[in-house]
Amino acid sequence: MDGSDRIVLDTNQSQERHSRTRARGSRSGQWKLACALAGMLIAPAWMNSQKQDAAKEKSAGIPVHFTNITQQAGITFVQDSTESAEKYYLETMGTGVAFLDYDQDGLMDMYFVQAGETPAYKPAKPLRSALYHNNGDGTFTDVTAKAGVGGEGHYGQGVAVGDYDNDGYPDMYVTGYGRAILYHNNGDGTFTDVTAKAGVADNGKWSTSAGWFDFDKDGWLDLVVTNYLDWSPENNLWCGERAPGYRSYCNPNNYRGQRTKLYRNNHDGTFTDVSDKSGIGIPESKGMSVVLADLNNDGWPDIAISNDTWPNFYFQNEHNGTFADESLLSGIAASEDGRYEAGMGIDAADVDGDGLLDIYITHLDFELNRLYHNNGDGTFTDVTYPSEIGNKAITMSGVAAKFIDYDNDGWPDIVQANGAMVDNVALYHSEVTYKEPLLMFHNIGKGHFEKVSAEMGPDFMRPVAGRGLATADFMNDGSMGVAVVCRGEAPELLRNDGGNANHWLEVLLIGTKSNRDGIGSSLKLTAGDWVHVEQSKGGTSYMSASDPRIHFGLAKHAKVDSLVITWPSGRVDTLKDLAADQIIAVKEGVGIVPHPFPKVPRK
């Protein structure tokens, strides 16, 4: 979490060290700059060939706005900032949120991760995370105590959801400072902490995000965990001016990074740490978020990680249990001008309809949120300006981001949570505010975006210190909603009003030979002359987990001609002549199977 809103050590020695760090970054960026210049020559061609078509293919716009229903839904969770005069680096992070159907009743439930006490902050009551059951009537019930997932005494950070034992019920991995927790879903509304038995505690590390995927395609989900900094209360530094109210949070360059973890599933409830053997645990990192998807269309899942003031990672799956570090060669390690920026949130989607997943990474103020176009040969081109995202949010601090087709026009849009990391940032930069509104970039077609945040309504535009963000169709009516964790206050549950005026289709995958969640599957949908490709991905956003069902916006198409699902096992299932505006469950090798998806009434 670098950027101009965080402060380096207030000593001559630290300033010298910071200068050396910047110089090293500059030298290491020279080679990247040369590559970036080559990419800039490619970008105009991409822009010119796509922009004209985008204007022609843009669907007729429909009015959409978002309504904050947190209070009426009965959600009383409040994220505790654990703020203290010591300005512990840990305090800036916020926490994550997950959508999951923990009881398999067809409704998206919610899990909010909570922080914990520190040596400088002792809350009046023990802090706990919260699990809310979706009642199917627009309200949620707190079932944390019954479920056993409060995590008291754990300084939580993020959450990843996946059925790691293939029993049909989603499990939760909750990252945190000092350790992580794996909750096994017992299938009866309760969970069991199986961290010690499973061997995934990540003890002594500061884990931020995590994601489930089947990297070796053996039919069982494996786990990637991003770790951050070697920070502790004991080495917490004074940063900022030594004047009343000016002490601030430090720059991550003041601390060494940790390393990424990869845990391989042993099929018996335990995992083996293969971080170094696989190659992904070798480089130092400052990991914030991860997306797990087939990024080079070879049928095997790859890994992309956003790092803070550090090269972003791209690990290419070598099909033999190892990954090749292609970070620098891929082009996503740095911006097009060769800078390692404050990588925060990350997601991947085919934004221009070429069948390849492009990557979006958020950054803090006075940096740019970067869109990297997938060239199909293992490389990416920074198309932030050609895509027209450009500097439209340059004074905002982008944290979490998720691709979402909020208006069901068939093109993936971008929803983003924002908020500075430093609560007194205005003392240092008058142009920047601590709390900021959400951001919506509307894909007008072929990967060209327009900023439409103000059109999303006053609830969408309320300034917050946004942190974790997840998306889901929690109404089961085809309208994708948003949940945002706001540092130090209640979260926002934003209902999408109007998005289902266009047609849509959602698909719940049930693997048999493949992992039960079908993570790693590729879905190709054809409706008339419209062809769209989606993947079931792991990770995404920032310390959060979204609706696992695959969502397709269909615009004016009332029927799907074909849906071709390529499972991780290699099996291909083809469905034909599907009616739009429904949620279907598809079982590998069987086809559509019965599953409840009750529609939630709007109030």
Side-chain angles (χ1 to χ4, degrees):
M1 294 177 300
D2 190 21
S4 54
D5 67 344
R6 280 174 303 174
I7 315 301
V8 295
L9 282 166
D10 187 26
T11 67
N12 291 334
Q13 182 181 7
S14 68
Q15 294 293 344
E16 181 181 352
R17 184 188 315 157
H18 184 58
S19 297
R20 289 198 302 268
T21 302
R22 290 178 62 87
R24 285 197 300 270
S26 177
R27 287 194 295 271
S28 65
Q30 289 174 0
W31 182 84
K32 293 303 300 171
L33 179 58
C35 293
L37 291 172
M40 291 172 70
L41 295 177
I42 298 172
W46 179 87
M47 174 178 63
N48 292 334
S49 64
Q50 301 284 335
K51 188 173 183 180
Q52 195 171 23
D53 291 337
K56 294 178 182 177
E57 296 193 19
K58 179 180 177 182
S59 300
I62 59 172
V64 175
H65 69 273
F66 288 85
T67 303
N68 188 352
I69 63 168
T70 306
Q71 187 172 1
Q72 70 187 66
I75 295 171
T76 59
F77 174 84
V78 175
Q79 200 276 340
D80 197 309
S81 68
T82 71
E83 187 172 336
S84 73
E86 294 301 314
K87 295 290 183 181
Y88 282 169
Y89 199 99
L90 184 62
E91 299 166 7
T92 69
M93 303 287 284
T95 53
V97 57
F99 282 106
L100 73 161
D101 183 5
Y102 78 91
D103 55 355
Q104 291 298 283
D105 64 354
L107 294 161
M108 284 290 109
D109 311 300
M110 300 184 71
Y111 184 73
F112 294 95
V113 182
Q114 184 60 284
E117 71 171 45
T118 70
Y121 179 78
K122 305 295 182 183
K125 293 195 231 176
L127 300 179
R128 68 169 196 175
S129 299
L131 177 65
Y132 285 90
H133 176 257
N134 189 332
N135 299 322
D137 60 0
T139 68
F140 291 75
T141 298
D142 187 334
V143 295
T144 311
K146 176 187 175 183
V149 291
E152 291 184 8
H154 178 232
Y155 200 112
Q157 291 283 258
V159 55
V161 177
D163 182 4
Y164 74 86
D165 59 349
N166 290 334
D167 66 354
Y169 289 90
D171 312 296
M172 295 192 299
Y173 186 77
V174 183
T175 62
Y177 179 75
R179 65 185 177 94
I181 301 174
L182 177 60
Y183 289 115
H184 174 257
N185 190 331
N186 301 319
D188 60 0
T190 70
F191 291 75
T192 300
D193 182 342
V194 297
T195 315
K197 174 189 174 184
V200 292
D202 201 31
N203 282 322
K205 302 299 181 183
W206 181 356
S207 52
T208 51
S209 293
W212 297 97
F213 75 148
D214 184 4
F215 82 93
D216 51 4
K217 300 214 294 185
D218 64 356
W220 298 77
L221 290 179
D222 313 296
L223 179 66
V224 171
V225 182
T226 62
N227 289 309
Y228 192 35
L229 300 178
D230 280 333
W231 172 91
S232 71
E234 291 71 33
N235 69 8
N236 191 56
L237 304 167
W238 182 294
C239 294
E241 297 179 25
R242 291 185 178 271
Y246 276 79
R247 184 173 183 178
S248 197
Y249 297 104
C250 294
N251 186 297
N253 283 325
N254 290 321
Y255 300 96
R256 290 188 62 84
Q258 297 186 339
R259 283 171 168 76
T260 309
K261 287 288 187 180
L262 174 60
Y263 295 101
R264 187 187 65 217
N265 194 324
N266 298 325
H267 312 173
D268 60 0
T270 70
F271 292 77
T272 298
D273 185 341
V274 294
S275 310
D276 291 345
K277 180 180 178 182
S278 68
I280 77 167
I282 294 175
E284 181 181 346
S285 68
K286 298 182 180 181
M288 286 279 94
S289 303
V290 59
V291 61
L292 306 164
D294 181 6
L295 296 170
N296 62 352
N297 277 13
D298 66 353
W300 291 74
D302 309 301
I303 303 171
I305 295 174
S306 58
N307 282 309
D308 188 4
T309 68
W310 204 255
N312 299 316
F313 290 157
Y314 171 52
F315 294 109
Q316 184 172 283
N317 197 321
E318 295 292 278
H319 314 173
N320 59 6
T322 69
F323 290 80
D325 186 349
E326 301 291 340
S327 305
L328 290 174
L329 292 175
S330 71
I332 75 163
S335 64
E336 68 176 356
D337 54 355
R339 291 192 304 147
Y340 302 141
E341 297 176 310
M344 298 291 290
I346 191 171
D347 199 4
D350 177 12
V351 303
D352 55 356
D354 64 358
L356 298 163
L357 297 190
D358 311 295
I359 295 176
Y360 184 76
I361 300 177
T362 67
H363 299 99
L364 299 191
D365 54 272
F366 300 107
E367 297 176 338
L368 301 181
N369 301 302
R370 300 283 174 180
L371 179 63
Y372 295 94
H373 175 255
N374 192 330
N375 300 321
D377 58 1
T379 69
F380 295 78
T381 299
D382 185 339
V383 293
T384 303
Y385 276 101
S387 68
E388 298 174 75
I389 289 173
N391 61 359
K392 291 177 180 175
I394 195 167
T395 61
M396 302 177 75
S397 292
V399 183
K402 191 76 177 61
F403 283 108
I404 173 178
D405 188 355
Y406 75 89
D407 58 352
N408 285 323
D409 67 353
W411 295 101
D413 313 300
I414 300 169
V415 62
Q416 181 172 309
N418 307 285
M421 294 295 123
V422 174
D423 50 4
N424 59 356
V425 64
L427 296 176
Y428 291 92
H429 299 290
S430 59
E431 314 96 307
V432 177
T433 59
Y434 170 56
K435 294 185 177 182
E436 300 169 334
L438 300 180
L439 187 65
M440 184 72 82
F441 282 118
H442 180 230
N443 189 338
I444 65 172
K446 298 287 187 179
H448 291 268
F449 294 84
E450 59 183 359
K451 182 179 175 182
V452 296
S453 310
E455 300 173 19
M456 301 295 102
D459 288 348
F460 192 89
M461 291 298 292
R462 185 178 77 91
V464 297
R467 295 299 185 258
L469 177 149
T471 61
D473 178 10
F474 56 82
M475 304 297 289
N476 277 351
D477 64 359
S479 55
M480 295 298 291
V482 180
V484 182
V485 174
C486 307
R487 181 178 180 245
E489 59 180 306
E492 294 185 322
L493 180 59
L494 297 169
R495 186 186 65 203
N496 181 325
D497 294 326
N500 57 8
N502 275 328
H503 294 298
W504 53 276
L505 179 75
E506 289 171 18
V507 184
L508 174 69
L509 299 173
I510 303 174
T512 52
K513 186 176 180 182
S514 302
N515 67 84
R516 173 81 181 196
D517 292 339
I519 294 176
S521 299
S522 177
L523 294 82
K524 182 179 180 180
L525 179 145
T526 302
D529 59 354
W530 172 250
V531 179
H532 191 63
V533 175
E534 290 281 359
Q535 289 187 26
S536 177
K537 302 168 292 190
T540 77
S541 189
Y542 170 80
M543 304 200 301
S544 299
S546 293
D547 193 333
R549 299 171 297 188
I550 310 302
H551 177 92
F552 290 94
L554 300 176
K556 302 307 177 186
H557 298 284
K559 185 187 77 166
V560 172
D561 296 316
S562 69
L563 178 65
V564 180
I565 304 173
T566 303
W567 300 83
S569 67
R571 180 178 178 89
V572 178
D573 288 330
T574 301
L575 308 175
K576 294 187 176 181
D577 298 325
L578 301 173
D581 306 327
Q582 63 170 326
I583 307 173
I584 59 174
V586 180
K587 190 171 186 178
E588 182 180 11
V590 177
I592 298 176
V593 295
H595 195 289
F597 297 109
K599 187 174 290 188
V600 179
R602 289 176 177 262
K603 297 180 180 179

